[in-house]
Amino acid sequence: MTLTASETPAPSRPVPPPVRRGSVRRAWRTFSPYAYLAPFFTLFAAFGLFPLIYTAFVSLYRVELQTPGTMEWRGLGNYTALLGDEYFWTALRNTFTIGVLSTVPQLVMALGLAHLLNYRMRGRTFLRTAVLLPYATSVAAATLVFAQLFGRDFGLINYALGLVGVDPVDWQNGTVASQIAVSTVVIWRWTGYNALIYLAGMQSIPNELYEAAAMDGASRWRQFFHVTLPGLRPTILFTVIVSTIGATQLFGEPLLLEGSISGGISHQYQTLGLYMYEQGWGFFHLGRAAAIAWVMFLLIVVLVGVNALIARRRSRKEAGR
């Protein structure tokens, strides 16, 4: 008979709990949208939100371009100085008039052009591509060409006016004439772009509405006013808002028309963008330029809010009918 020593069992290690795949999937579904959106918000915070906040901070100080590290507290002094500057009010008035002269004809022409491109015709694809070519053209190149066309002595437009007995117009020194010249460049560049936006909106309108209107005896004009325009109302609101923002920030066209940051001899077509550039990089007042930038931002917010409020009231009135 043999005796064997009793074996002592080895200490058991704690077994980790099994990972539940369902909880991992639920966590991924919860946080994955934020992971996909994180790059956009990171770039927006770095290049959009931070400059906006820093500009508001600089607008409260006296900062000169030669010594950007030296900052003197002014509070709202830069803003009150703008209210007492006549050139600021001139630039604000010019921005409004040029915005109206360029936005209203531009959107009306774009709407009519989109209505024509919506019909079946030969070369429709080529025409839809061609209307976008002015938008793809460089602002500098387009403005320089139009500056030659609007020349006082040898401009093609004055030559055409002379053929019908109209005296030459000083397009660069006249107040109304220079604003019309700047607006013409804006209209030429953005009409095709807005026309394609309207065309996309028209193609989303159901054809059954047009067929029902045609069966009721409505002509094409009645179909346009009673079917197309109501269906394009959100698109029209979008283009009005975008055009308003673009008109408020207008800079390249008036700068290159004559090549002066003052907007003409008597500031007759100086916009808020040119006025900001003149204060910051012409007179080296960075604090005042930052204040102008924030005035432009607040002006855009107010104009966009007014447009949205008008559109909402119209939609409520139509819904209540």
Side-chain angles (χ1 to χ4, degrees):
M1 182 175 180
T2 58
L3 299 176
T4 58
S6 60
E7 296 180 357
T8 58
S12 59
R13 297 178 179 178
V15 179
V19 179
R20 298 180 179 179
R21 295 182 179 179
S23 60
V24 175
R25 290 179 179 177
R26 286 194 297 268
W28 173 248
R29 290 177 181 176
T30 303
F31 294 103
S32 60
Y34 300 99
Y36 291 132
L37 294 175
F40 166 76
F41 284 105
T42 302
L43 294 176
F44 173 74
F47 299 101
L49 186 60
F50 173 74
L52 184 66
I53 297 176
Y54 186 74
T55 301
F57 172 76
V58 173
S59 67
L60 303 177
Y61 290 85
R62 181 194 301 274
V63 186
E64 301 298 327
L65 185 61
Q66 301 92 332
T67 57
T70 304
M71 304 177 68
E72 178 184 350
W73 172 259
R74 291 201 63 187
L76 298 178
N78 289 324
Y79 295 92
T80 56
L82 291 179
L83 298 179
D85 189 357
E86 61 175 347
Y87 294 120
F88 167 75
W89 295 106
T90 301
L92 182 62
R93 183 176 62 252
N94 293 338
T95 302
F96 176 77
T97 54
I98 294 176
V100 173
L101 290 174
S102 61
T103 301
V104 176
Q106 170 194 151
L107 297 183
V108 173
M109 293 171 60
L111 191 60
L113 187 60
H115 184 63
L116 293 176
L117 293 176
N118 195 30
Y119 287 106
R120 295 181 180 178
M121 62 179 69
R122 294 182 179 179
R124 182 174 57 177
T125 304
F126 171 76
L127 293 176
R128 291 178 178 179
T129 306
V131 296
L132 197 62
L133 292 179
Y135 172 73
T137 307
S138 171
V139 181
T143 307
L144 291 177
V145 170
F146 273 91
Q148 298 297 322
L149 293 176
F150 283 105
R152 183 186 62 181
D153 298 326
F154 304 102
L156 182 61
I157 295 179
N158 277 341
Y159 174 77
L161 292 177
L163 295 177
V164 296
V166 180
D167 295 333
V169 180
D170 193 353
W171 295 102
Q172 294 182 348
N173 293 325
T175 301
V176 179
S178 60
Q179 294 179 2
I180 292 176
V182 174
S183 302
T184 304
V185 184
V186 179
I187 292 172
W188 181 82
R189 290 197 68 242
W190 291 96
T191 299
Y193 174 83
N194 290 313
L196 291 184
I197 294 178
Y198 288 148
L199 179 61
M202 290 178 183
Q203 292 180 347
S204 65
I205 300 175
N207 292 326
E208 291 79 5
L209 298 178
Y210 291 101
E211 294 175 358
M215 292 178 63
D216 291 337
S219 62
R220 288 188 175 182
W221 280 108
R222 288 186 176 272
Q223 292 178 20
F224 177 76
F225 285 105
H226 297 283
V227 178
T228 305
L229 287 183
L232 284 179
R233 188 160 298 152
T235 308
I236 293 175
L237 176 62
F238 169 77
T239 54
V240 168
I241 291 175
V242 172
S243 299
T244 302
I245 295 174
T248 307
Q249 298 177 340
L250 197 60
F251 176 76
E253 290 84 353
L255 174 64
L256 297 173
L257 183 66
E258 192 183 5
S260 173
I261 61 176
S262 60
I265 299 176
S266 58
H267 299 257
Q268 65 270 15
Y269 60 92
Q270 185 183 49
T271 59
L272 286 176
L274 276 181
Y275 180 68
M276 178 185 66
Y277 187 85
E278 181 184 40
Q279 292 294 323
W281 284 263
F283 300 148
F284 311 124
H285 303 321
L286 293 183
R288 184 172 295 186
I292 299 170
W294 256 87
V295 169
M296 294 172 60
F297 172 74
L298 296 177
L299 180 62
I300 291 173
V301 171
V302 171
L303 293 177
V304 171
V306 170
N307 288 330
L309 182 62
I310 293 175
R312 184 174 299 180
R313 286 185 176 180
R314 287 183 177 178
S315 60
R316 287 180 179 177
K317 287 181 180 180
E318 293 183 355
R321 290 180 181 177

